[in-house]
Amino acid sequence: MLLARFDFMDRKLLELQVDLHELHEEVERNSGHNENTLDDFQWVIHHLDQDVGRNFILLQDRSLIILDQQTACANHDRLREKLLDYNSKWNQTSYKPLEQI
């Protein structure tokens, strides 16, 4: 009876060793997969960072263009106001066309 118990324990120990070996192999596979996944994430992050940098520079450039256009429009509006003011003053002065003189 004691030998049967030892045989049973030997089989269980052997099964546990096999299970442990399989788990160890699975951990190694997962570790390699995780390293590949990490490399992939780092590659994506690097390229996204570059894209964000390019987009930011583009945004700055376009903002400067818009600012220049707004300044030009403001200058144009001031010029138009001066011209209208000048025209109204010109029309208010009493002058005679050259033909009437």
Side-chain angles (χ1 to χ4, degrees), residues 23-98:
L23 287 173
H24 184 7
E25 287 177 349
E26 187 176 346
V27 166
E28 289 295 321
R29 281 192 307 272
N30 287 341
S31 176
H33 177 71
N34 289 344
E35 286 177 17
N36 291 338
T37 302
L38 178 63
D39 290 343
D40 291 345
F41 279 140
Q42 288 174 337
W43 182 87
V44 168
I45 289 170
H46 175 73
H47 284 85
L48 286 175
D49 186 46
Q50 288 179 338
D51 289 346
V52 167
R54 279 193 297 267
N55 288 342
F56 185 73
I57 290 170
L58 233 135
L59 183 62
Q60 284 178 320
D61 291 346
R62 290 189 180 166
S63 295
L64 289 175
I65 289 170
I66 291 171
L67 183 63
D68 289 345
Q69 289 173 346
Q70 287 175 337
T71 302
C73 287
N75 290 339
H76 178 72
D77 289 344
R78 281 196 298 274
L79 181 62
R80 184 177 60 231
E81 288 172 9
K82 284 183 180 180
L83 184 60
L84 291 173
D85 186 47
Y86 178 77
N87 281 340
S88 69
K89 286 180 183 177
W90 177 261
N91 289 332
Q92 290 174 1
T93 60
S94 59
Y95 74 95
K96 294 182 181 175
L98 290 176

